[in-house]
Amino acid sequence: MFHSPGAVALHVGPLVLLGWQIGPLAIRWYGVLMATAMGLGLWLAHREARRRGLDPESLLKAAELALLGGLIGARLYYVLFNLDYYGQSPGKIFALWEGGLAIHGGVLGGIIVGGGYAWWRRLPLRHYLDVAAPSLAIGQAIGRWGNFFNEEAFGRPTDLPWKLFISPAHRPLQYAQSEYFHPTFLYESLWDLLVFGVLCLALRDRLERAPGALFLAYVGLYSMGRLFTEGLRTDPLMLGSLRIAQLVSLLGMAVALVGVPLMIRHRRPA
């Protein structure tokens, strides 16, 4: 919606926020976007497995379990750092359509469940992680728009041309008089799209003989963007006075900076 020359503000209307109502069935944008991200990610992983000469059916089985573990891990991670709220409203723990999924918990849960399955079946786990990396990046780029429709995960107040309007019911108490905020969902979505492009166009072929390196590159690149966007957020998950996502992002960048060169050094001969 245009408000003044050269200034564009992003808005979410109440009907858009809710999605569609078909009889007793409510279809919400958050769920549609999550399903789209998962479906596209599985399709890309299947194609990449075939390109690499891996058994796509075995990979899809591991990927499906990883998605299940990722959803559970993302929700538990978020709930764990919001125990005050969910302790008073335990029924809300299962209200996934209201948002509240933490990507770091999702990646960890996916690795534990899907990676555990691959390890148990003696499947090429590091190759599977490399296949999953671009799917994770593009899935996050799509899924972040769920935050837009749910009016969550936005940043501090701003007057920048691309400011995001937040309705009064969703504003933090300390910013109740502010109307426009940083669209951090948009920043992260664009960054994830860039990461997807870098992984597929610049790094995939170069790192193919170093299994696991592409996945660590994804971890490091994603962490760089998240370190920035998390600093703007008004709703960070906290551990005392520290922002959890920034700590994890610093750890992810360190692991990538050390791990990728080591894997390249020990890559398979051509």
Side-chain angles (χ1 to χ4, degrees), residues 89-105:
S89 306
K92 290 286 189 178
I93 292 175
F94 304 100
L96 296 180
W97 57 89
E98 295 182 358
L101 298 175
I103 182 59
H104 291 124

Side-chain angles (χ1 to χ4, degrees), residues 241-260:
S241 60
L242 302 175
R243 294 178 180 237
I244 295 297
Q246 288 189 318
L247 289 177
V248 177
S249 294
L250 288 171
L251 177 61
M253 291 167 62
V255 170
L257 286 172
V258 174
V260 171

